[in-house]
Amino acid sequence: MIDTLDDLDVEGTTVGVRVDINSPIGDDGTLADDARLRAHVDTLSELLERGGRVAVLAHQGRPGGDDFVSLESHAERLSKLLERPVDHVDTTFSDAAREAVRNLENGDCLVLENTRFYSEEYMEFDPERAAETHLVEGLAPALDVYVNDAFAAAHRSQPSLVGFPTVLPGYAGRVMESELDVLGTIEETPEPRIYVLGGAKVPDSIDVAWSVLEKGLADHVLTAGVVGNVFLIADGVDVGDASSDFIYDQGYWDEIDRAADLLDAYGDSIALPRDVAVERDGERHELGVNALPPGDEEAAMDIGSSTLAYYERLLEDAGTVILNGPAGVFEEEAFATGTRQLYGAATDVEMSIVGGGDTASALRSLGVDGFTHVSTGGGAALRMLTAEPLPAVTALEDGPKRQQPADD
């Protein structure tokens, strides 16, 4: 059982809030997209309006990457979104950080520095060891409670995710609560239930397919993107050198055997692309999968119109559709058709659930909306759909005794 903000007496309480605002960064080093920040506005606004003293913890990028930057511009954007001052502190667990947190008044908010500026935060630990890191031991004394709203990072076991709820009363923020409510009750959603698995995360997608088919959670699994190409090869189709080489270069060649085993076991429930789109002379050109010339250097860039019609017919009878991964190279307009139309068709289903990460980015760029639930997490969402535990969620469940609920 995980406590939520409904169980927390917020007024006058110093709250460490872990969010996931890891965002695209422009050439000037500032935020290029604030979608992930907007996702946490409800949680942060509620805590501040209820008189909390809020210290925000978050990461941005990875060491060595162009997006590995300070959270100063994130604090500036949060200030606009929350319509109140939000300070930035250029440290995370030093004396200066603790002093800044202890000086907060009711309704104040600050953003601590990028947690990944400290090497401990891009390592994984069990909760007890995470609680002994410099980050947790340095900052926890300045906090009364911990709120985790970072569902998108919940499949990680880094100190800021699993260490704090080991030593502080822990609560789920509104994003975390919503994600667990929806993704944790897939078996209760309307039937028939269809999974659409696309994109390039082949091992994860095959894990999901195995899990949901074995457990009877899926009536059909529709494949697209690189995932679809792997299943086509497993079914004996020559998808051409370009597409095959990409699969090999990504280290996914062994996944073909897993896909073949899955087809042997549940082939009647798995739908494969019937045609694909390639680039020929600078334009979109569609070919049946059995008409691809052997050794063809033209990579499959999207599912074709015949596949779209086939998948749309299957979706017409669905009660729930769960989608993860784009159908093709949606960044190029000529090959965005499959993703746009397939996901558009899913919005007509009684319940439509979209995995986060690249899928959510694709939908925003294509202007497709109207889904029942769009997850903020890619890897975390996939892990939940395979019934695997999320370390950050387990840490909240196993943490110390909580505060008593506020009096009515």
Side-chain angles (χ1 to χ4, degrees), residues 78-112:
L78 275 176
S79 181
K80 294 177 181 177
L81 293 171
L82 296 172
E83 299 181 344
R84 67 175 68 214
V86 175
D87 293 329
H88 171 254
V89 179
D90 63 359
T91 182
T92 307
F93 58 86
S94 65
D95 289 342
R98 287 191 295 273
E99 182 179 3
V101 171
R102 287 174 173 142
N103 286 338
L104 290 170
E105 301 288 343
N106 291 7
D108 284 352
C109 181
L110 61 77
V111 175
L112 295 165

Side-chain angles (χ1 to χ4, degrees), residues 131-149:
E132 297 172 351
T133 58
H134 294 294
L135 172 63
V136 176
E137 287 191 338
L139 184 61
L143 304 173
D144 296 320
V145 300
Y146 170 83
V147 170
N148 193 340
D149 210 31

Side-chain angles (χ1 to χ4, degrees), residues 259-306:
D261 291 341
L262 196 51
L263 288 171
D264 287 341
Y266 300 102
D268 291 343
S269 299
I270 302 172
L272 309 185
R274 295 179 170 182
D275 61 345
V276 297
V278 300
E279 183 176 356
R280 183 168 294 175
D281 299 325
E283 296 183 354
R284 179 187 177 100
H285 185 77
E286 296 187 1
L287 294 168
V289 294
N290 291 314
L292 288 166
D296 193 358
E297 290 296 331
E298 296 168 329
M301 305 281 280
D302 193 12
I303 55 175
S305 55
S306 177

